[in-house]
Amino acid sequence: MRALDGEQVQEAVAGCTAALRTTADRDWTGVKAGRLEWSCHRTALHVASDLIAYAGQLAGRAQDSYIPFEITLDEGTDNAGLLHVIETTGALLAATLRATPPDVRAWHPHPFRSADREGFAAMGIAEVLLHTHDMAEGLGIPYEPSEELAESVLTWIFPHVQPGPAAWPTLLWATGRGELPGRAPVTEWRWRNNLVVPAGRLTLTGVRPAAARDLRLGGDGGFDWIEGGPYEGTRDAAGMMVKAYEAGVHRPEFGLFVLVRREDGRAIGGMGFHGAPDEDGRVEIGYDLVEGARGQGYATEALRALSQWALARDDVRTLFATVDRDNTASQGVVTRAGFKQVGEGEEELAYELRRA
């Protein structure tokens, strides 16, 4: 799987500056950037401001708000100088991404109040691609990024958007900038960074569609697994998630999570939901661990944490799980996590945990 990093940020910036440099001798302040209310000049400065802000969030390890700083242009800076600022801030974000460990998360409001380095990379790329489109539209010049960059943005921070026939038109539609046959126009939108849930010795890291595809196809999903991982159940769950994403019914917070040990950053298993809650607030949960991580209480810690997170939501009232009759270890996990047996079949036992 191709991870999002500084290379892709600089690729996006290079495409932006190459397109806009052809109009550097024009008055950008007097031209509106496509459907935006901003001028092309203000939009270009906004791109640079976002790139340096994202670098600042990661470098400063911001946890509660944006780092309180902004950039300004020296008086008399022309369009060529502004493009140089975009190149420079893009390079600073790229360097910050390369220097940031994978477990670091910094504050960002949408939607779970934090993002990791891949999230910030995707947001930076999205700002560059979309606002270059806006400026190009206003200036009347052609612009189209690579499908690979557009698809990366979609599969990293638009997990709730059903894929279309091509990535770039889908991204434009998803952000209110275009039309897709058979889909209603978009008037409000937000991208969505992945959810993480702390669980004692573990972090439950929400899996993005790009990672789920890689796991389904036999890859590592961008995680550093202990020997023997990922286990078959995690790959099956990734396949279920990909199907939901491609069908347009995936809800990211009710998808797959990878269990990552805090002590060494290594992945040891998977846990997640078999879809969104039904109309009665009932949702199924499942999990597995790599063999080398079993018998150490990890599954119980993770199940308790994810159950607590789910039952604190207004749309969840009951969690249920099914366990093979001969899997006494898993029966112990659900029991220790507070689930009660509510039924039994020839091969499986049924357990539930209800909101108090």
Side-chain angles (χ1 to χ4, degrees):
M1 183 184 72
R2 185 189 186 196
L4 276 189
D5 57 23
E7 179 183 348
Q8 284 81 7
V9 170
Q10 292 190 287
E11 178 186 343
V13 168
C16 163
T17 55
L20 295 177
R21 192 166 281 119
T22 62
T23 68
D25 59 344
R26 294 169 57 180
D27 178 14
W28 288 2
T29 60
V31 178
K32 194 169 77 168
R35 306 183 189 191
L36 303 182
E37 293 301 319
W38 298 342
S39 71
C40 288
H41 184 276
R42 181 180 175 185
T43 303
L45 180 58
H46 172 79
V47 170
S49 297
D50 277 344
L51 292 172
I52 193 63
Y54 293 158
Q57 291 302 97
L58 282 176
R61 304 295 195 263
Q63 297 300 308
D64 301 308
S65 63
Y66 286 113
I67 300 293
F69 77 101
E70 61 181 1
I71 62 170
T72 59
L73 299 178
D74 289 345
E75 186 175 352
T77 300
D78 60 11
N79 293 338
L82 179 49
L83 290 176
H84 195 186
V85 173
I86 291 176
E87 290 173 329
T88 302
T89 53
L92 288 170
L93 175 57
T96 303
L97 292 168
R98 296 184 185 109
T100 301
D103 61 328
V104 169
R105 296 185 73 89
W107 189 87
H108 190 275
H110 306 307
F112 302 117
R113 305 186 71 78
S114 74
D116 58 10
R117 64 184 185 187
E118 285 84 6
F120 279 104
M123 291 187 289
I125 294 168
E127 294 284 356
V128 173
L129 301 190
L130 294 171
H131 288 316
T132 303
H133 163 81
D134 297 333
M135 290 181 279
E137 189 173 63
L139 293 163
I141 60 173
Y143 170 74
E144 184 171 337
S146 71
E147 276 288 290
E148 187 173 18
L149 276 180
E151 183 177 19
S152 293
V153 171
L154 286 170
T155 56
W156 250 265
I157 55 173
F158 287 87
H160 53 294
V161 172
Q162 183 180 15
W168 179 233
T170 302
L171 182 57
L172 291 177
W173 168 81
T175 57
R177 290 172 167 83
E179 299 178 355
L180 279 185
R183 301 197 193 185
V186 172
T187 56
E188 294 184 2
W189 61 274
R190 292 284 190 191
W191 54 49
R192 297 175 65 88
N193 281 292
N194 67 330
L195 172 67
V196 295
V197 178
R201 295 172 293 168
L202 305 170
T203 298
L204 278 65
T205 303
V207 174
R208 300 174 169 99
R213 283 177 176 170
D214 188 62
L215 285 167
R216 181 190 63 175
L217 295 174
D220 58 17
F223 295 91
D224 179 18
W225 292 87
I226 65 171
E227 185 177 355
Y231 205 64
E232 181 180 353
T234 298
R235 296 200 186 279
D236 291 343
M240 291 170 56
M241 178 179 152
V242 170
K243 288 181 180 178
Y245 169 66
E246 292 176 345
V249 297
H250 174 53
R251 285 181 58 184
E253 63 270 38
F254 288 105
L256 171 65
F257 297 81
V258 166
L259 280 54
V260 180
R261 284 194 307 222
R262 292 178 182 271
E263 64 179 6
D264 58 7
R266 305 200 70 187
I268 63 169
M271 181 173 290
F273 304 95
H274 294 195
D278 64 19
E279 59 185 11
D280 296 321
R282 183 176 168 85
V283 62
E284 183 175 3
I285 195 167
Y287 53 88
D288 71 5
L289 288 182
V290 180
E291 290 187 8
R294 296 174 186 174
Q296 302 174 55
Y298 289 127
T300 301
E301 286 183 30
L303 185 57
R304 283 173 178 161
L306 193 57
S307 298
Q308 183 179 12
W309 172 85
L311 291 172
R313 296 174 57 93
D314 292 337
D315 55 354
V316 178
R317 298 190 60 84
T318 306
L319 300 175
F320 74 96
T322 57
V323 182
D324 290 344
R325 275 184 169 277
D326 59 356
N327 192 344
T328 56
S330 188
Q331 292 166 26
V333 168
V334 293
T335 300
R336 288 190 296 273
F339 285 69
K340 305 297 183 183
Q341 185 179 336
V342 295
E344 58 181 295
E346 292 184 2
E347 297 181 355
E348 294 180 327
L349 305 178
Y351 292 83
E352 281 189 353
L353 179 61
R354 293 176 177 271
R355 187 192 304 170

